[in-house]
């Protein structure tokens, strides 16, 4: 019995001495725990009519802030500005609509390597800014997949493609495809 207790104490002491020594702890190659920020620019192609492929288009700028729990999992929130040019009719010019999405951001880096696949999900609400008034009541969902090229100190450049779905009281619902480039620090 004494030997078992002594062995258990020896294992516990070795474990806690390893955990308290920062030189012996596992260091991640490319990402650390802590706050992160991302700025993303995207080009969106909309297909509102089945007969006309990508008859509407837009650009979006997003700012995402959150917390990286480890080099693999990040959770945060984002806000963006989405400019969408709608085609009204064959003889009319296009109409500009501005959306403001506010959403939760969940991101998973698959590997702790310099080049890693990335999957993410943005889900939240949206507002339509039209003629100097803001109409709330929209929603947006955006699953993303892409590649992250990681730089030093947890920074990365991300190339993503996504399916962008938004809708609401003022819009009905639209589906678009989005291609984006972002910088994460």
């Amino acid at each position: 019995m004494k030997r078992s207790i002594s062995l258990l104490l020896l294992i516990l002491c070795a474990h806690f001495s390893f955990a308290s020594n920062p030189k012996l702890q596992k260091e991640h190659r490319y990402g650390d725990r802590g706050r992160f920020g991302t700025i993303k620019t995207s080009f969106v192609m909309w297909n509102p009519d089945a007969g006309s492929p990508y008859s509407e288009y837009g650009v979006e700028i997003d700012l995402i802030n959150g917390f990286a729990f480890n080099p693999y999992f990040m959770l945060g929130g984002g806000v963006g500005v989405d400019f969408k040019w709608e085609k009204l009719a064959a003889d009319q010019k296009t109409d500009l609509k501005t959306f403001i999405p506010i959403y939760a951001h969940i991101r998973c880096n698959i590997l702790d390597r310099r080049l890693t696949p990335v999957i993410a999900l943005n889900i939240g609400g949206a507002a339509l800014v039209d003629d100097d008034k803001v109409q709330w009541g929209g929603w947006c969902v955006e699953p993303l997949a892409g590649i992250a090229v990681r730089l030093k100190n947890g920074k990365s450049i991300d190339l993503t493609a996504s399916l962008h779905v938004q809708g609401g009281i003022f819009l009905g619902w639209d589906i678009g495809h989005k291609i984006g480039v972002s910088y994460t620090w």
Side-chain angles (χ1 to χ4, degrees), residues 38-82:
T38 299
I39 187 161
K40 180 174 79 167
T41 59
S42 304
F43 178 72
V44 188
M45 300 164 288
W46 300 94
N47 188 9
D49 302 324
S52 59
Y54 303 124
S55 61
E56 298 174 357
Y57 54 93
V59 293
E60 185 171 353
I61 299 171
D62 292 298
L63 180 63
I64 302 166
N65 287 300
F67 191 80
F69 293 96
N70 52 43
Y72 306 104
F73 183 71
M74 299 175 175
L75 182 64
V79 64
V81 178
D82 184 1

Side-chain angles (χ1 to χ4, degrees), residues 5-96:
I5 292 174
S6 299
L7 183 62
L8 181 61
L9 287 174
L10 180 66
I11 291 171
L12 286 173
C13 289
H15 172 72
F16 287 116
S17 67
F18 176 78
S20 66
N21 188 349
K23 292 181 181 177
L24 297 176
Q25 289 180 352
K26 180 182 176 192
E27 293 183 9
H28 303 295
R29 290 182 180 194
Y30 294 101
D32 265 336
R33 182 180 174 153
R35 293 179 296 181
F36 77 93
T38 299
I39 187 161
K40 180 174 79 167
T41 59
S42 304
F43 178 72
V44 188
M45 300 164 288
W46 300 94
N47 188 9
D49 302 324
S52 59
Y54 303 124
S55 61
E56 298 174 357
Y57 54 93
V59 293
E60 185 171 353
I61 299 171
D62 292 298
L63 180 63
I64 302 166
N65 287 300
F67 191 80
F69 293 96
N70 52 43
Y72 306 104
F73 183 71
M74 299 175 175
L75 182 64
V79 64
V81 178
D82 184 1
F83 301 103
K84 180 180 177 185
W85 287 271
E86 289 187 336
K87 191 174 184 181
L88 297 176
D91 58 344
Q92 295 179 341
K93 64 180 187 174
T94 57
D95 183 31
L96 174 66

Side-chain angles (χ1 to χ4, degrees), residues 82-153:
D82 184 1
F83 301 103
K84 180 180 177 185
W85 287 271
E86 289 187 336
K87 191 174 184 181
L88 297 176
D91 58 344
Q92 295 179 341
K93 64 180 187 174
T94 57
D95 183 31
L96 174 66
K97 288 192 175 183
T98 305
F99 295 95
I100 301 173
I102 300 172
Y103 52 85
H105 176 78
I106 302 167
R107 174 179 167 152
C108 180
N109 298 322
I110 305 299
L111 304 170
D112 187 26
R113 300 279 186 258
R114 181 167 165 74
L115 189 65
T116 180
V118 172
I119 55 173
L121 177 66
N122 298 333
I123 186 166
L128 172 65
V129 180
D130 192 22
D131 297 329
D132 297 328
K133 63 181 178 180
V134 178
Q135 299 175 353
W136 290 96
W139 53 269
C140 62
V141 176
E142 181 184 357
L144 295 106
I147 299 288
V149 179
R150 291 179 155 184
L151 309 170
K152 293 182 179 179
N153 300 326

